[in-house]
Amino acid sequence: IYLDAKLFARVKALYEKRAKLPAGSEEARLLEVTYERFVNAGAQLEEADKAKLKSINEQLSTLGTEFSQKLTQATKDGALVVDSKAELAGLTDSEIETAAKQATERKLEGKFVLPLINTTQQPMLAKLTNRETRRKLYEASIIRTSRGDKNDTRAIIVKMAELRADKAALLGYPEYASYAMFDRMLKKPADAIGFMENL
């Protein structure tokens, strides 16, 4: 949609007459935002560059889907399997029973499974008192997509970073972060980092 030349021509024609709209009106702001989004998405590029951008966008979309699928499967496959209740010290009886049920569902009778919950932390780490179990669960979490198996996402991440850099350059930005921040309160990555550091 953003690369549709006829649609952008109409938006641009309206944008060039925006002075006729009441200053500060919702209509004026909507027109401004719409125009900026078209421009930022590549509406002003030459046709050859639009074709390159479309190809980059398609590749990023495909890689994004592939990344999500691998992450989902790696999260499932990366669950921690332990052999005894002693390794689950600190968990409630109900949580241990759930871990046993998880193992049974995976055809691991007599064992216990702690599934990985999200990418940054595992809630069970706060409860487990067995240091070795905590270490195993933490490591299972952080290496889930970097084991060198079919769910390894490192090559995808590298390719996505390269494509994002190409996209940013095509659209006239120094790097992808600046492109992504075009409509944010802070427009430059350095400003955002400075803001967070000051906070």
Side-chain angles (χ1 to χ4, degrees), residues 13-199:
L14 292 170
Y15 182 76
E16 289 170 350
K17 297 176 185 175
R18 67 190 181 283
K20 294 179 181 179
L21 292 171
S25 68
E26 290 180 13
E27 291 87 351
R29 181 64 184 138
L30 176 60
L31 180 57
E32 184 180 292
V33 168
T34 301
Y35 178 79
E36 287 174 354
R37 287 182 178 167
F38 268 87
V39 171
N40 194 64
Q44 293 182 312
L45 293 175
E46 298 296 328
E47 287 306 314
D49 285 339
K50 280 186 181 179
K52 288 179 189 174
L53 183 59
K54 285 179 182 178
S55 174
I56 290 171
N57 288 341
E58 287 172 7
Q59 290 177 72
L60 284 170
S61 178
T62 299
L63 289 169
T65 299
E66 189 179 347
F67 177 89
S68 294
Q69 290 171 342
K70 286 179 180 285
L71 176 60
T72 298
Q73 191 59 48
T75 299
K76 182 179 178 184
D77 294 349
L80 178 64
V81 180
V82 298
D83 297 320
S84 68
K85 282 186 179 182
E87 293 172 272
L88 300 178
L91 300 187
T92 65
D93 290 342
S94 175
E95 289 167 335
I96 292 172
E97 186 179 317
T98 299
K101 185 179 177 186
Q102 290 272 348
T104 300
E105 289 173 0
R106 295 174 186 236
K107 297 184 175 34
L108 297 169
E109 294 290 342
K111 295 186 183 292
F112 303 87
V113 170
L114 296 178
L116 300 180
I117 305 300
N118 56 42
T119 55
T120 56
Q121 60 184 351
Q122 302 306 311
M124 292 296 179
L125 289 173
K127 296 181 176 185
L128 291 162
T129 57
N130 183 307
R131 183 179 178 87
E132 183 62 12
T133 304
R134 285 200 313 273
R135 182 190 65 77
K136 288 178 181 177
L137 181 58
Y138 173 74
E139 288 181 356
S141 176
I142 64 169
I143 67 166
R144 72 183 78 186
T145 56
S146 57
R147 298 173 184 234
D149 60 7
K150 62 182 179 169
N151 296 318
D152 196 308
T153 60
R154 289 174 291 184
I156 293 175
I157 292 169
V158 169
K159 184 62 179 172
M160 287 180 77
E162 291 170 349
L163 287 168
R164 285 178 171 183
D166 292 344
K167 180 174 182 173
L170 196 58
L171 293 168
Y173 289 93
E175 78 293 298
Y176 187 79
S178 293
Y179 160 76
M181 294 172 69
F182 90 98
D183 61 350
R184 303 299 195 272
M185 180 181 73
L186 298 173
K187 308 291 185 196
K188 298 178 181 176
D191 292 341
I193 291 169
F195 178 83
M196 289 186 286
E197 288 174 344
N198 289 336
L199 185 66

